[in-house]
Amino acid sequence: MSNNASLLVNSGSGSSQVISLDTGKPIKIKFQPGSQYLLKNADDNYAPKKVTLQRNGDDLYVILDGEENPVIVAEDYYVSGNNQPFLGMGDDGQLYAYPAANEDGSLTSVSLSGAPQGDASYLFESAEYADSSVMSSWPWFLGAAIVGGAGIGYAIYDHNKDDGGNSSSFSPLGSQPETQPEAQPESEAGPEPQPEPEPEPLPNPGGAIDDTLATPVVGDMSSDQS
């Protein structure tokens, strides 16, 4: 895990707000109109030499050099329409922008480039560092992002919603909900009929039956008529 960088946000008035970046504890933010978002090294105010950007739907991921998972998830970055870039201070003390990520969602390795955008030193003169007492009041800070599963996913603990402070959800990208096996309907047919027993033969008390019938004797009728 890397924690060698910080994010500085300046709204144009008052102190800048600074939060340390850690791959093991990524954050979710939302760009606010008129604010500047600078990436800086943890041990000085200069920008990281190289970072990786990736578009995922309407969100923008920021991945530190040498890491695989994002430290920043910029929610609805492409919905706002202004495509405001991340900034950083070059070796000459001037502000420069990081180029935009590829639109096709592929990983884009970028370094500061383009024309200088003015002196950056004033942004570091007064800074408010992140702790639990002030982070919930920062309008650009949405909470902690969680990375896991296949590819990059996140869940949000939203400090700006009154949800009791104990809820979070996790949905890795590309994952599918676990499918439960469908219950098989019970058969409506009744029990199988049992075969009827064959009747037992009646007993023969006289033993075997004699098939020979007695023939009656018929007398001679002629002698009676004489």
Side-chain angles (χ1 to χ4, degrees):
M1 293 183 291
S2 174
N3 57 354
N4 57 358
S6 298
L7 173 67
L8 179 148
V9 179
N10 185 275
S11 62
S13 62
S15 300
S16 298
Q17 298 160 346
V18 182
I19 185 170
S20 296
L21 300 177
D22 189 332
T23 302
K25 300 177 182 178
I27 63 171
K28 188 176 180 73
I29 69 172
K30 191 161 188 174
F31 273 50
Q32 303 293 316
S35 296
Q36 294 176 302
Y37 297 80
L38 281 74
L39 299 176
K40 62 182 289 295
N41 296 322
D43 54 356
D44 59 44
N45 293 329
Y46 296 107
K49 297 296 183 183
K50 185 184 296 183
V51 297
T52 299
L53 303 179
Q54 182 184 28
R55 178 173 184 171
N56 189 323
D58 292 327
D59 299 341
L60 176 65
Y61 295 153
V62 179
I63 305 169
L64 298 180
D65 189 36
E67 299 293 336
E68 296 181 354
N69 294 321
V71 291
I72 299 175
V73 176
E75 183 187 63
D76 292 340
Y77 178 82
Y78 294 94
V79 173
S80 61
N82 59 14
N83 291 338
Q84 182 180 350
F86 280 94
L87 304 173
M89 186 176 74
D91 294 338
D92 58 358
Q94 299 291 305
L95 279 178
Y96 295 89
Y98 288 98
N102 295 331
E103 291 292 324
D104 61 3
S106 60
L107 297 173
T108 311
S109 180
V110 297
S111 300
L112 291 179
S113 63
Q117 301 184 20
D119 181 66
S121 60
Y122 75 97
L123 296 170
F124 307 100
E125 291 176 354
S126 177
E128 179 181 51
Y129 289 85
D131 63 47
S132 58
S133 64
V134 298
M135 290 166 61
S136 60
S137 66
W138 295 349
W140 54 268
F141 178 73
L142 299 184
I146 300 175
V147 178
I152 300 174
Y154 57 84
I156 303 307
Y157 175 80
D158 193 340
H159 292 271
N160 296 325
K161 292 182 180 179
D162 184 15
D163 60 359
N166 295 319
S167 65
S168 64
S169 60
F170 174 62
S171 177
L173 298 180
S175 65
Q176 298 294 330
E178 182 179 354
T179 302
Q180 297 295 333
E182 295 184 1
Q184 297 297 325
E186 295 184 0
S187 174
E188 296 181 358
E192 296 183 3
Q194 298 296 326
E196 296 183 1
E198 296 183 1
E200 297 182 0
L202 296 176
N204 183 5
I209 300 175
D210 187 357
D211 292 336
T212 304
L213 299 178
T215 304
V217 177
V218 180
D220 187 358
M221 298 297 295
S222 59
S223 58
D224 292 338
Q225 293 178 352
S226 58

